[in-house]
């Protein structure tokens, strides 16, 4: 019986080697499939986002009360005016800045994370056609003074509208809406590509820690899967 031990050990080694080899081949095939799937996702979304340099993702609007003064050529011609002007400021997101390094794909949970830039306010739009004047004062308001008052009211309202749009609460609301807009925008081409159910999460570089996971900015989808493949 002892003389058969070497043959038995050899057979076990061959079987073990075959099992290991098959497992390694299966793992390599799985990684290749993941890589191909991830690359496909990047291609699909890159094509979708490439031409969206000014995706509108929100708006803040309202009315502003302003008081302006025209000094006039002499003190007797000094005049002032109170006016209310409607305004609106849109927020846009430049998706053309999203590159391959801004995607993270988790094949286990079929979750895609997309990193997008911060939203930016558009130039304020002041509706001068619907300007309401609540009062004008001055001994004699010339036509030139009226023009100057209207121009200064528009300039002041524009500046104030920009300040409103830059308020942290308004920026945060626009950014939150941007995440929803981008997630919805991403799902359509992914569904059309037949990639199956995918969970899409959108974050910004400033998101930090979310849902207990730290955003890894060091490696892209392709780099992670290529490292695993090697």
């Amino acid at each position: 019986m002892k003389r058969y031990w070497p043959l038995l050990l050899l057979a076990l080694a061959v079987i073990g080697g075959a099992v290991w080899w098959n497992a390694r081949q299966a793992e390599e095939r799985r990684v290749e499939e993941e890589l191909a799937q991830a690359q496909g996702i990047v291609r699909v979304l890159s094509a979708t986002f490439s031409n969206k340099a000014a995706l509108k993702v929100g708006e803040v609007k309202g009315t502003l009360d302003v008081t302006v003064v025209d000094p006039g050529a002499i003190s007797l011609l000094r005049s002032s005016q109170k006016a209310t002007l409607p305004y609106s400021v849109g927020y846009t997101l430049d998706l053309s800045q999203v590159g391959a390094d801004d995607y993270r794909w988790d094949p286990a949970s079929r979750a895609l994370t997309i990193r997008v830039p911060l939203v930016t306010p558009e130039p304020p739009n002041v509706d001068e056609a619907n300007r309401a004047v609540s009062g004008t004062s001055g001994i004699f308001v010339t036509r030139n003074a009226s023009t100057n008052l209207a121009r200064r009211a528009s300039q002041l309202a524009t500046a104030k509208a920009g300040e409103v749009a830059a308020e942290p609460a308004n920026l945060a609301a626009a950014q939150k809406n941007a995440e929803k807009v981008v997630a919805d925008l991403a799902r359509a081409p992914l569904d059309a590509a037949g990639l199956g159910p995918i969970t899409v999460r959108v974050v910004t570089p400033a998101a930090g820690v979310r849902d207990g996971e730290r955003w890894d900015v060091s490696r892209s989808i392709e780099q992670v899967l290529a490292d695993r493949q090697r």
Side-chain angles (χ1 to χ4, degrees):
M1 183 66 180
K2 291 182 179 181
R3 57 182 170 177
Y4 294 112
W5 275 108
L7 294 177
L8 181 59
L9 292 174
L10 178 61
L12 290 174
V14 171
I15 294 173
V19 171
W20 174 83
W21 177 255
N22 288 334
R24 180 179 176 181
Q25 290 294 101
E27 175 64 13
E28 289 181 353
R29 286 194 298 272
R30 185 181 67 81
V31 170
E32 289 176 358
E33 290 173 358
E34 290 178 4
L35 177 60
Q37 188 176 51
Q39 290 173 329
I41 289 172
V42 171
R43 284 195 296 270
V44 168
L45 294 184
S46 294
T48 301
F49 294 162
S50 61
N51 295 322
K52 297 188 180 298
L55 178 67
K56 189 166 183 177
V57 293
E59 184 182 56
V60 60
K61 59 183 178 180
T63 59
L64 291 167
D65 296 322
V66 298
T67 300
V68 291
V69 174
D70 178 68
I74 58 177
S75 60
L76 290 177
L77 295 180
R78 184 181 186 276
S79 58
S80 64
Q81 187 178 86
K82 294 181 179 180
T84 300
L85 293 93
Y87 75 93
S88 63
V89 182
Y91 295 90
T92 58
L93 184 66
D94 186 359
L95 285 181
S96 66
Q97 295 182 23
V98 178
D101 289 343
D102 295 310
Y103 298 94
R104 294 294 182 274
W105 169 242
D106 181 359
S109 61
R110 296 189 59 75
L112 174 68
T113 302
I114 308 172
R115 183 178 58 190
V116 298
L118 297 174
V119 299
T120 56
E122 297 176 337
N125 177 38
V126 174
D127 186 1
E128 296 183 36
N130 289 308
R131 178 170 65 104
V133 177
S134 56
T136 302
S137 62
I139 296 176
F140 181 69
V141 181
T142 65
R143 179 178 298 179
N144 185 59
S146 295
T147 300
N148 288 338
L149 289 170
R151 175 176 53 81
R152 294 184 185 196
S154 178
Q155 291 174 341
L156 183 56
T158 298
K160 285 188 174 183
E163 293 172 359
V164 172
E167 291 177 359
N170 290 329
L171 285 172
Q175 194 69 47
K176 183 177 180 180
N177 189 59
E179 295 175 8
K180 181 181 182 302
V181 170
V182 174
D184 292 341
L185 188 64
R187 287 189 185 97
L190 292 177
D191 291 343
L195 296 174
I198 293 176
T199 299
V200 179
R201 188 179 71 174
V202 181
V203 300
T204 67
V209 178
R210 180 177 295 188
D211 296 337
E213 296 181 0
R214 184 169 296 279
W215 175 253
D216 177 12
V217 299
S218 60
R219 296 185 297 169
S220 65
I221 287 177
E222 294 169 324
Q223 291 170 330
V224 171
L225 295 179
D227 288 346
R228 291 175 59 185
Q229 189 176 33
R230 287 195 292 268

